[in-house]
Each structure stands twice: as C-alpha cells, then as structure tokens.
Amino acid sequence: MSDAERPVLLSVDDDPSVSRAVARDLRRKYGRDFRVIRAETPDTGLEALKELKLKGARVAVILADYRMPEMSGIEFLESAMDIYPRARRALLTAYADTDAAIAAINVVDVDHYLLKPWDPPEEKLYPVVDAMIDSYLDEPDVNAAETKVIGHRWSPPSFEVRDFLARNAVPYRWFQIEEPEALRLLQAANLDPAAELPVVVTPDGGALVAPSTAQLAAAVGLATTPETDLYDLVVVGGGPAGLGAAVYGASEGLRTLLVERYSTGGQAGQSSRIENYLGFPDGVSGGQLTDRARRQAVKFGTEILTSRDAVGLRAHGPGRILSFGDGREVTAHTVIIATGVQYRELVAPGVAELTGRGVYYGSAMTEAASCQGDDVYIVGGANSAGQAAVFFSRVAKSVTLLVRGRSLEDSMSYYLIEQLRSIGNVRVRLETTVTEAHGGDNLEALTLRAPDGSSERVTASHMFVFIGAQPRTDWLADVVERDEHGFIRTGTDLVVDGRMPRGWPLDRDPWPLESSLPGVFVAGDVRAESVKRVASAVGDGAMAVSLAHRYLGSA
C-alpha cells in the first residue's frame, strides 16, 4: 500500500513533548499500515484535515487534547466531524477532567477518552486505538484520490467539465452541491457554498473554480504545451483518422505531434457501441477504441496536446506553420488535417437555452445514470443515433428515435436497424421533427411535428441530438480549397479540366489525400467525398502518413 493510500491517525496537542510522545507511540505500533500525523495547535490540525480531504485521503482516528488555549479538544473534534464525519474520535485528558470527557462522549459523539499519561501504551493506549480502528474499518471513508467535481445537476458548465474529463479518460467523482460531501469539500477548500460552480478538486488537493478547458486540462495532467517548435508531422484532430495517422507516423520514426481542441476520439469516441469495426466481433465502445488508440500512439512516441485550438496554417518555405488560439506556433515538415465533423445545431425555440440542461449533442454518456426510468428522445437517423438508442434503452424507461426522413434504411446500417426492432422500449417515429423545447431550469417537454403537420407535446427530461455533420474548417478558408459545404478537396478533385489548383507551385498533380497546399494532407470525415465510417477514417490516416513520407523524401 502506498503512503497516500494508508489511512491517517491524527493527534493534536499543544504540549510539544506530549505531541511527540503520542506520535512516537502510534508510529511504533501502527506506522506500517497507517500514516501518523501530529499537530501542535487546533488550527494546524484543521488545516491538515482540510488538505487531506482535498487530496482524497482517509482519516481513521483523531486524538485531541481536552485543554488547549485556542480551542478546546471538544470544539476541535466538533469541527473535525464536519470534515471527516466517519473518523473515530478520542480526547486526551488529565484525571481531573475525566467527568468532562465522559460528558463529551454523550454530547458531541466522542468515541473514547484517554488518560494522560498512558504508560504503558500496550495497556492504556493501544487497546483504545485498536477498538477505534476496528470500528472505522467496519465502515471506512471512501478513498477518493481522483479528481472531484462539485456542481449543479442542471448546469451547462458543470456538464461540460464532466464531459471533458470523461472523454479524456480522466477518472473523477461527481458531487451535486446538495450533497453533504460536496459541502465538506468546499469547506476544506475554504470556499463558500454560494461560490461559482463547478469547482474541480484535483488529486494534489488544488481547487479550481469554474476552470476553462485549458486550465482543467493542465490541472489533471493533460499536455497543453508543445515540447518543441519543430516536428516532422503535425496531425490536427484526434478522431480515428488523426489517431491512426499519429500511430503510423510515430511508429515509422517521424517526430509526431497530435493537436486536439477538446478530446481524442471525435464523434466515434462518443459512440456507445461500434459493432461493424474489423476485429471486434462483439463490438467495442467508442471510448474503449479511442483509449486503446491513444495509448498506442503514445507508446510509439506521439506527443498529444489537448485543449489546443488550431486557428491558422501557412507556408513558410518548406515548413508549414500551425498557429494556436493562444498565439503560439509550431512548424512542421508535413501536416495532416483530420478535424472530422461536428453535429449541426438543432434550430428550434428553447433548444439553445436548454443545451446542457437536458438537451445534449452526441451521446453524453455521463448523463446515462440520470436517465434511469425516464423517457429519452434521440434526434437523428444515422448510425450514431441508432447506437445511442441502443445504449440508452438499457437504462431509460423508453427511447424514442425522431427521424426526419421517410426511412431508416436511407441513413442507418442494416445491423443497427434490426437491433432496434428487437428492443421493446425503443420506438422509431419517421418524418417527425422537434419544433420547440420547453422547461425552466431543465428540459421538461418537447413539441413534435408529425408527418400530417399536427403538433404534439410530450414529456421529456433528456434529448440527445445527432443531426447531420459539418466540418470545422473556417480557419482554413484562405489556405486550402474547400467545397461548398466546407469539406476540404484533395487529389484529383483539385484538378479541373487539366488545370492545377490556384497557386499550386509544383510540376506534378496533387497526390491522393493532398490538399491544394503541398505537404498538407487530409484524412477522415473532413475530406470531401470521404466515406463516413471509422474504418475508412483510420485507413485515410495510414495512407496520409505514407504520402507524407513520400513528400518528405521528395522535398
């Protein structure tokens, strides 16, 4: 058991000689299995408890001197109970104060008292501490050394923090502000319960109030700053195409940087179950697939930056300079754009106001537990919507798939359609649209338009939106050629009537997956005319690396 995992025995006594003696005797018997901490004032004792609480440590036993000038032992133990209610408590007292100590056992729930001096400890100290430890171990504090998030149930910023941590595979515990443990954590961080939320407590005991994505990423150990200014290959986007490119690039010896604005995995990373990906006959969740790919990329030496937004790209001689939102730049010999696509916003009254408070884009699997026994609505008719319907059917009372088109066969894989038909609590409503979302603090109802034009208001606490996809390529508008929808043109699509793309400087045609800027390749869903499937995106990433190698060899 590591030092951080061992429960704590804390003693507080304002007499230094007594304080040292208590700690000495406790360490002699319990030092192997417990951390022994001593404090010589009540204030330092409470500060130690607050620090331990923020770091997720467990406190098993607290011993406090009955008579201390700043605060009595009884008052100290009362305050300690607010921070560690499950810790066992005892007073160290002189014989003359025995009656007061006994009264304290009944008044403030003190477990025991110990007379000073306690020699020999084998007879007078250890039996009492043994009893308290045994009592504690019957119902110990939960070891919560991971990141902790305190927030409101229907708060968009709280949801965004939880979603960011979950999608970046950062373990965390969620506490609603109404929970007693949330209030204890705020107290330990010296924050008022009315403080701005969410509050994020990191494993090292730091407390962040309403952090930005970049602040959160740095606090939980995600890399946010590049290690150097020059790379062989920079991959922009951490979905399947970007992760595939990173794995193949790094494994083939290229110094590779992967830049992701939010979390690795992209839309595929949010999929609850992918069942048609080669090599996984029983299916695999998007999160599991993403985590394996990320670990594989790192194993080969890929450097991954999270919460870094690429805002500019330009050529400078043989280099390709990528600019970030914070003003920093890196130079690459080759670049692969793999930024994927994002779900389109559902435009209807009330939707924007309730986003993050019952209305979500993508699977938002952090909300699954909250859907227990509820009626869930999913908007969309492609595979992502179908996978979400299957997932939420396991926890929700009912799942209704709202499809704008006339048939699922036009947009969804056959295996998913058959799966949905076999699930009793899933209903599919074709040619149906959402015209309004209703609610105060959170989503309460939806107005639906049926095929015959009639409207119906239905009760709903959760709506997950999967409608269409649009590329996020505005930052490349004057850099590479795009089609009318913003997808990036590549290869032969750039050559029109035998004419090279505008500004093309080379005496060869653009290679497959190469954009109108030589040395900049495109992989995955952001590429014009791409096949919107995970396998094809990974293939694009591998092929783009092969072409990048060819480009480096010819440069």
Side-chain angles (χ1 to χ4, degrees):
M1 185 183 296
S2 69
D3 189 62
E5 293 175 322
R6 291 184 296 162
V8 170
L9 308 181
L10 173 69
S11 66
V12 183
D13 197 303
D14 64 319
D15 185 329
S17 62
V18 174
S19 178
R20 287 192 294 270
V22 174
R24 178 201 64 214
D25 287 343
L26 290 176
R27 287 194 184 99
R28 189 170 64 185
K29 179 171 182 181
Y30 306 106
R32 180 175 180 177
D33 299 317
F34 294 83
R35 280 190 289 163
V36 177
I37 298 175
R38 69 183 181 92
E40 295 183 0
T41 68
D43 285 342
T44 56
L46 290 175
E47 287 304 312
L49 288 174
K50 290 179 180 179
E51 183 178 347
L52 291 166
K53 168 64 73 173
L54 292 176
K55 290 183 177 180
R58 295 176 292 165
V59 175
V61 172
I62 303 173
L63 305 176
D65 183 35
Y66 175 70
R67 289 188 180 272
M68 293 185 286
E70 299 174 9
M71 181 188 299
S72 74
I74 293 174
E75 292 170 326
F76 172 81
L77 291 176
E78 282 185 302
S79 298
M81 285 174 63
D82 292 336
I83 304 172
Y84 277 99
R86 294 184 182 178
R88 275 34 183 187
R89 299 164 294 277
L91 281 170
L92 297 171
T93 181
Y95 181 81
D97 297 318
T98 301
D99 290 343
I102 293 173
I105 293 176
N106 299 318
V107 175
V108 296
D109 197 24
V110 173
D111 296 290
H112 292 278
Y113 71 91
L114 285 163
L115 287 175
K116 296 189 290 185
W118 52 84
D119 290 328
E122 288 79 8
E123 294 181 12
K124 298 183 178 181
L125 174 67
Y126 297 152
V128 172
V129 176
D130 284 345
M132 289 193 291
I133 289 175
D134 289 342
S135 177
Y136 168 80
L137 292 176
D138 287 339
E139 190 182 0
D141 281 332
V142 176
N143 188 2
E146 70 270 19
T147 299
K148 294 172 276 289
V149 181
I150 305 161
H152 288 297
R153 169 68 184 86
W154 297 112
S155 161
S158 296
F159 166 74
E160 289 168 9
V161 164
R162 294 163 58 207
D163 186 59
F164 177 82
L165 294 174
R167 289 173 60 180
N168 282 285
V170 177
Y172 74 93
R173 291 188 67 200
W174 161 245
F175 299 94
Q176 296 189 47
I177 186 60
E178 299 84 5
E179 296 180 47
E181 185 66 8
L183 299 176
R184 294 185 194 108
L185 288 167
L186 291 177
Q187 178 187 0
N190 296 317
L191 293 172
D192 189 276
E196 185 178 2
L197 297 176
V199 170
V200 178
V201 179
T202 56
D204 63 0
L208 306 175
V209 178
S212 67
T213 300
Q215 290 172 327
L216 182 59
V220 298
L222 300 174
T224 60
T225 304
E227 294 178 359
T228 184
D229 295 327
L230 179 63
Y231 295 87
D232 297 318
L233 172 65
V234 171
V235 181
V236 185
L243 287 168
V247 167
Y248 285 103
S251 67
E252 293 176 14
L254 299 179
R255 176 144 200 185
T256 302
L257 173 70
L258 187 148
V259 180
E260 171 53 51
R261 66 192 297 260
Y262 191 73
S263 66
T264 51
Q267 283 192 6
Q270 298 182 66
S271 295
S272 54
R273 202 75 181 165
I274 302 171
E275 298 195 52
N276 60 348
Y277 188 67
L278 186 67
F280 292 89
D282 298 321
V284 61
S285 74
Q288 290 172 326
L289 189 63
T290 295
D291 181 61
R292 293 179 183 184
R294 177 173 48 227
R295 288 190 283 113
Q296 193 173 14
V298 170
K299 182 188 78 170
F300 286 122
T302 299
E303 182 185 337
I304 298 179
L305 295 189
T306 306
S307 75
R308 274 289 173 253
D309 203 5
V311 298
L313 177 65
R314 69 183 188 276
H316 183 73
R320 301 293 178 259
I321 300 177
L322 187 72
S323 304
F324 299 135
D326 64 352
R328 182 152 186 163
E329 297 181 334
V330 295
T331 301
H333 297 305
T334 58
V335 173
I336 295 175
I337 304 297
T339 50
V341 293
Q342 59 190 19
Y343 294 114
R344 297 183 186 277
E345 292 186 2
L346 176 61
V347 179
V351 170
E353 294 81 1
L354 292 168
T355 297
R357 294 188 288 142
V359 175
Y360 305 97
Y361 289 86
S363 288
M365 286 184 282
T366 54
E367 291 297 304
S370 300
C371 296
Q372 187 78 37
D374 289 346
D375 297 312
V376 170
Y377 286 80
I378 295 174
V379 184
N383 277 8
S384 295
Q387 290 160 353
V390 173
F391 173 75
F392 285 109
S393 70
R394 299 167 188 159
V395 293
K397 176 183 176 183
S398 70
V399 176
T400 302
L401 196 62
L402 304 175
V403 183
R404 185 176 184 178
R406 295 183 177 181
S407 169
L408 279 180
E409 283 77 2
D410 294 337
S411 54
M412 188 178 293
S413 295
Y414 174 78
Y415 83 91
L416 261 179
I417 296 173
E418 290 299 298
Q419 198 169 359
L420 291 174
R421 286 173 178 164
S422 68
I423 302 175
N425 64 337
V426 173
R427 178 188 179 193
V428 179
R429 293 184 58 166
L430 302 173
E431 298 182 81
T432 302
T433 57
V434 176
T435 58
E436 190 171 357
H438 311 272
D441 291 337
N442 56 279
L443 178 67
E444 297 171 3
L446 299 171
T447 296
L448 309 180
R449 178 174 295 160
D452 61 4
S454 63
S455 292
E456 175 188 2
R457 180 164 171 155
V458 296
T459 300
S461 61
H462 292 80
M463 177 174 69
F464 301 91
V465 181
F466 302 82
I467 52 171
Q470 56 187 10
R472 194 188 63 83
T473 58
D474 291 347
W475 62 287
L476 296 168
D478 299 321
V479 181
V480 297
E481 288 198 16
R482 305 177 300 156
D483 67 14
E484 64 274 20
H485 302 295
F487 294 92
I488 303 173
R489 299 183 188 276
T490 59
T492 56
D493 289 343
L494 292 167
V495 182
V496 180
D497 296 330
R499 296 192 305 273
M500 294 296 106
R502 177 173 51 86
W504 183 257
L506 305 179
D507 59 359
R508 62 167 176 81
D509 289 354
W511 291 328
L513 307 189
E514 190 171 24
S515 73
S516 57
L517 179 60
V520 175
F521 301 90
V522 187
D525 291 359
V526 72
R527 180 173 61 84
E529 305 301 326
S530 65
V531 178
K532 304 299 189 285
R533 289 291 185 269
V534 175
S536 61
V538 174
D540 270 9
M543 183 176 177
V545 169
S546 177
L547 294 169
H549 264 295
R550 187 196 299 183
Y551 178 84
L552 291 170
S554 64

